Amino acid sequence: NTKNNNIAGNRHQASRILIGLAGVLFLIFSVQFFKIMVVGNIHGVDLRAEINDKIHQKRTLAAKRGTIYDASGSPIAVDTTNYSLYAVLTDEWSKDSDNPDYVTDVNKTAEALSKHISLSKEEIVKLLSQKDVSQVEFGSAGKNLSVQDKEAIEAEKLPGIKFSESPARYYPNGIFASHLIGYTDTVEETVDNKTLTTLVGKTGLEGLYNEQLTGTAGEVEYSVDGNGYVITDTEKVTKQPKDGMDLTLTIDKRLQTYLESLVSEADKKYQPVQMTAMLVEPKTGNIVAATQRPTYNSTTKEGIDVQWNNLLTDQAYEPGSTMKVLALAAAINEGVFDPNEKYKSGSVKIYTDLVRDYNKVGWGTITYLEGLAHSSNVAFVHIIQKIGIEKWKQYLEAFGFGKSTNSGFANEISGSNPFNSYLQQLSTGFGQGITVTPYQMMQAFT
């Protein structure tokens, strides 16, 4: 009996312990349940906020970059969209078994794509036959596709072939004042854990006026269901995008196109290392056409690796005899140019140095008007002496040499005019011993 009583007592004690444990567990569960269902917090994590973040989402509404126009309103640079091709290889995202949303026939897909991108059927088959990957891209051959390329590929009706899109800049005139207009690049930044691709001006006017051309992005909020799909009628624009400002230039499309053809012809015929050309209205200073060689296509960037900088502002040179126009203007303005006065051409001695005409021997004793017609260096040594060294220096400064034209371009240089020795001071009259940019020369001429 005593043994049976002990066993019964132990059972009662074990039952009480089990009941107690169950009560404690129930209490713990109740507290946790209360935290989750009522307070919405567990282990320091705000569950309501987590759910709200998953259900309520937002995305950026891209702003349109401003268009660049020529003087007549014809577009020079406009926004467009580029497409990148990729293929889905897994069926895990496909909802409808009757309409698969992944590549089902590798050979057929490869054969069709090879007609539209610069990859062979064999290369595409190799890409599409990869294992343990859910999707693949097609390298540079599948990037920067136009809307026409996209539509042509879509017409093939290939399951699993998809496109991602990104903003791009299109320059409809091809090579067209390219170094002056500049180009844009796409820049990716992370906003709210999402990648946002925007256009940024890198060179030329695209870079100089990037802030004005760039708009302000907007925002739209929406709700999604448990599968991540947007719930109908939940989208709401909370911030309207603001498009960038347009830019209208003094460039004349007809004259620019004609200048490009002339320069291309000269470049092909004479094959210079570099060449620049500008057409400017003399009374206003408006640049109506400007180009250079080497150049590049702003849309494709072809040629930019050969010459990316703007030779019109970024590089100085000795102007040579074109400076004589300005020296003559200064002499006439000072009243010291007598076209009928005579001098001995050929050479003139400056201390121990000798300045010669280009033919070394000259044309005998001739008038200054004849010297001008022959582009005589000797004539202009005398003309600068008549103007006076200090007065001529004032003219050079007034014409704008040795300082910025305030074009605003980041890499513009000022050229140089040491104006040290007497020989160098006189030599500036026929364009030696001084360096200038094409912008400076055109500013001075106008």
Side-chain angles (χ1 to χ4, degrees), residues 408-445:
F409 293 126
N411 298 312
E412 180 183 0
I413 62 175
S414 300
S416 65
N417 181 22
F419 220 68
N420 291 329
S421 70
Y422 188 52
L423 175 63
Q424 186 258 323
Q425 293 165 351
L426 292 173
S427 296
T428 58
F430 51 89
Q432 294 182 15
I434 183 173
T435 62
V436 303
T437 66
Y439 252 49
Q440 287 177 326
M441 283 302 287
M442 294 304 280
Q443 178 179 261
F445 276 18

Side-chain angles (χ1 to χ4, degrees), residues 194-251:
K194 294 183 179 179
T195 301
L196 178 65
T197 303
T198 56
L199 291 171
V200 176
K202 305 300 288 185
T203 62
L205 296 171
E206 290 276 26
L208 179 58
Y209 292 101
N210 183 65
E211 184 177 344
Q212 292 87 341
L213 290 164
T214 302
T216 304
E219 193 173 79
V220 60
E221 294 182 354
Y222 57 95
S223 299
V224 297
D225 61 19
N227 294 317
Y229 297 108
V230 178
I231 299 173
T232 306
D233 298 328
T234 61
E235 291 188 317
K236 179 183 177 183
V237 176
T238 55
K239 180 183 177 183
Q240 290 288 350
K242 184 179 179 182
D243 292 341
M245 297 172 65
D246 294 334
L247 188 63
T248 299
L249 311 182
T250 56
I251 295 289

Side-chain angles (χ1 to χ4, degrees), residues 175 179 183 267 272-275 292-297 300-311 315:
I175 292 175
H179 285 82
Y183 70 93
D267 186 50
V273 174
Q274 294 176 342
M275 176 167 54
Q292 69 179 61
R293 294 296 182 273
T295 188
Y296 64 90
N297 184 306
T300 65
K301 310 294 191 300
E302 183 181 355
I304 199 169
D305 55 332
V306 177
Q307 185 76 64
W308 65 268
N309 61 309
N310 183 0
L311 299 177
Q315 187 166 295

Side-chain angles (χ1 to χ4, degrees), residues 276-336:
T276 62
M278 292 180 72
L279 187 61
V280 178
E281 291 179 345
K283 293 187 182 298
T284 63
N286 288 342
I287 299 171
V288 295
T291 191
Q292 69 179 61
R293 294 296 182 273
T295 188
Y296 64 90
N297 184 306
S298 295
T299 300
T300 65
K301 310 294 191 300
E302 183 181 355
I304 199 169
D305 55 332
V306 177
Q307 185 76 64
W308 65 268
N309 61 309
N310 183 0
L311 299 177
L312 298 173
T313 60
D314 300 356
Q315 187 166 295
Y317 66 102
E318 279 195 344
S321 291
T322 55
M323 184 65 82
K324 293 172 181 174
V325 176
L326 304 176
L328 177 64
I332 293 172
N333 203 51
E334 289 297 308
V336 297

Side-chain angles (χ1 to χ4, degrees), residues 349-385:
K349 197 167 187 179
I350 309 298
Y351 298 127
T352 58
D353 295 298
L354 200 64
V355 174
R356 296 180 181 274
D357 286 321
Y358 71 87
N359 66 354
K360 309 300 184 189
V361 296
W363 305 269
T365 299
I366 56 176
T367 66
Y368 278 98
L369 187 60
E370 291 174 305
L372 175 63
H374 287 297
S375 190
S376 167
N377 292 339
V378 174
F380 280 89
V381 167
H382 295 314
I383 286 172
I384 298 303
Q385 288 174 325

